[in-house]
Amino acid sequence: MRGLLPHYFLFSLIQAGRLPVNIAMNLDIPLEAKPCHKAVRVPSRKHAPSARSVRITKSLLTQKTNQPPSHGEMARLLKSVASDRSVEAFEALFRFYAPRVRSFMAMKTGDRQVAEELMQETMVSVWNKAAQFDPERGNVSAWIFTIARNIRIDFYRRRRPAFDPHDPAFVGDDTPSAEMEFEQVQDAALLRQAMATLPPDQLDVLKRAFFDDVSHSTIATELGLPLGTVKSRIRLAFEKLRSALEGRR
Amino acid sequence: MNIQHHLSDDLLLDYAAGNLSEGWSLVVATHMALCPSCRKRLSAMEGAAGALLDKVEPVEMPADAWDRMKRRLEGIRIEEVKAPRPAAPAGSGMVFPEPLRSYVGADLANVKWQALGLGAYQVRIPTADPSTQVRLLRIPAGKPVPEHTHVGRELTLVLSGSFHDGDDLFGRGDIEEADDNLLHTPKALPGEDCICLAVTEAPLRFSSWIVRLIQPILKI
C-alpha cells in the first residue's frame, strides 16, 4: 500500500503537466542506471544554463566538492554556525550537502521542484538546529541524514515516534561523554572505510533501504530475490560494519 | 538488569531509514529508550546512511540556489543557542518511557485497564497507523499470554515483570519478535503481573457479516 502513494502522486504531477512522463517512467528502471540522478539533472540544466556557480568558499578550496571533507572539519563548521551564526561556515556546509540532500530527496519524490523544496527545508533546519547537534551521538553527515529523513517522513504525512534522552525514564549509557565524542569521530572514519569494502550486493540493499524509502519486501520484489536473502544481506552488511567498529575498541 | 533480547537488524534498519510505520516504530523507539546497546546500533546505521549521503552523486544545483537560501536565512530571527536541558534525575520510578508514556497519556499507575477475562487486562493505544494494532497487556502472574495467535509479525516489549517462552526469559526492556511461523506460548512468571507493549498487524476484516458479528466474541 505504501508503494502506491508515490506513484499516485507522480501520476497526478504528470497529469498536472509538472513532470515530464519520461522522468516518471525512469523511476521504474533498476537503480544501476542511476535513473533518478539523470532524471533530476536534465531539467535542472534548463534552470541553470551556462553560468553555474563556481564560487567555492575558502574552507572547501583545498578539495573538490565530490571529495568528502573530514568529519572534524564539518563538525567545526557546524559549531561555528551554532555559536556565531556564521553564514560563511553555513555556506561551506550548504555547498557540500545541499546537492546531495537534493539527490536524496529526488530518489523518492522523483520531482525536481519537490526535491528542491525538501532540500531547502532540510538546510533551513540545519541552520536552525545547529546547536542541537551532539557530536557524542554521531557525525555531521549522519545528523544531516536524520534531518532529511524526518523532513521526508513529514512530507509523506507519516509519524515516527522517537525516544527522548531527557525523559526521566530514559536509561542512559555509562560511557563517559568525552570518550563517546572521541569514539564518534573515529567511528565515522572507520564506517567510511568499512562501507568501501562491502560487497556490491550488500551495499545496494543498504542504498535502496536508506534512499528509496521502501520496505524490505519491496526491495526483494524489485531484485527478484526471496525476502530471506534481502534480510541476510542486511544482517551480513551490518555485522561487517559492526566488526569494523569493534576492531577499534 | 541487562537486556538480553534486542531488535533485529532489519527492523532497526527500517526504523533508521524511516520506513517503519507508526505502530512498529512506537515499540522500537520505546525499546531503545531502555536499551543503550540498540541505540549504539541505530547510531551506527545512521552513520552508514551519512557515509552513503557523502558518496551520493550530487545534482547540479540551480545557479541561484545559495542566494535563495541566504535570503531565506535572513528572514529567520536569530535564535538563542539553547543550552542542553539538564539530565533528568535518576530513579524517577516511572515505568513507561517516552514515547510510550505520551501515547498512553499516563504512567503504569494510572492506566485504565479493560478486563480480557481470566485475570488478563488490556488497553488499546490509538495511533494514526491503520496497518497495526498497538496495546498494553497485563498478564496475571503465572498465567499464559491471552490471544497469542496472530497473523503476521508480532512485537512484544516487556515493561514490568517477566515472561518465559520455552527456554527464553524476557524481562524489562526485552523484546520478542515473532511471526506466524513461530508457535509460541509466552507465560508470565509467578510472583508478579507482567506488563507488555504488544504490536501486531491489524486484524483482518472479514467480509461476511456473520463472521464480523462473532469476531469480537472469538477475539480474532
Side-chain angles (χ1 to χ4, degrees), chain B residues 96 99-108 110-111 123 125-126 136 197:
Chain B
F96 299 162
L100 177 62
R101 204 168 60 247
S102 295
Y103 269 86
V104 178
D107 198 39
L108 178 58
N110 296 311
V111 167
V123 185
I125 300 171
L136 284 171
L197 174 64

Side-chain angles (χ1 to χ4, degrees), chain B residues 10 15 17 29 44 49 54 58 62 65 83 130 150 161 172 205:
Chain B
D10 60 288
Y15 183 76
D54 285 347
H150 50 84
R172 176 164 166 88
R205 279 194 62 89

Side-chain angles (χ1 to χ4, degrees), chain B residues 134-152:
Chain B
V134 185
R135 51 200 180 144
L136 284 171
L137 286 172
R138 194 172 110 198
I139 309 141
K143 295 281 164 58
V145 175
E147 298 179 69
H148 59 270
T149 52
H150 50 84
V151 182

